[in-house]
Amino acid sequence: MDKRNALRAGAVSAAATLMMLMSSPAMALTPDDGDDPGTGLSVAQTLGLYVAIPIVLFAVIAGLVMLPSVVGKDKKK
């Protein structure tokens, strides 16, 4: 019974993977009506968008989380 379930799960997984692999490249190559891709990002813009902004957001959120404990220590002294 377990062997049959494993075989069925493998067949379903293989079929789903095959269908996704067959459909994704075909859809990527055909432009749709109204597609208007803009100019690409420069290296500086890419680094700012995907590196600098997340680091700044992390620092701001971490600072806001630590703020109550910093303020609370001053009151106890």
Side-chain angles (χ1 to χ4, degrees):
M1 192 72 163
D2 290 331
K3 186 177 180 181
R4 192 168 63 192
N5 286 340
L7 186 61
R8 184 180 299 142
V12 168
S13 297
T17 303
L18 183 64
M19 294 302 254
M20 285 189 286
L21 287 174
M22 287 179 7
S23 67
S24 61
M27 297 299 181
L29 295 177
T30 54
D32 292 331
D33 290 340
D35 277 355
D36 188 18
T39 59
L41 297 175
S42 69
V43 174
Q45 290 172 330
T46 303
L47 288 175
L49 184 63
Y50 294 109
V51 177
I53 291 176
I55 289 173
V56 169
L57 285 175
F58 177 80
V60 167
I61 292 170
L64 290 173
V65 169
M66 292 175 14
L67 188 64
S69 65
V70 171
V71 172
K73 286 182 181 179
D74 292 339
K75 290 181 180 179
K76 291 180 182 178
K77 290 182 179 180

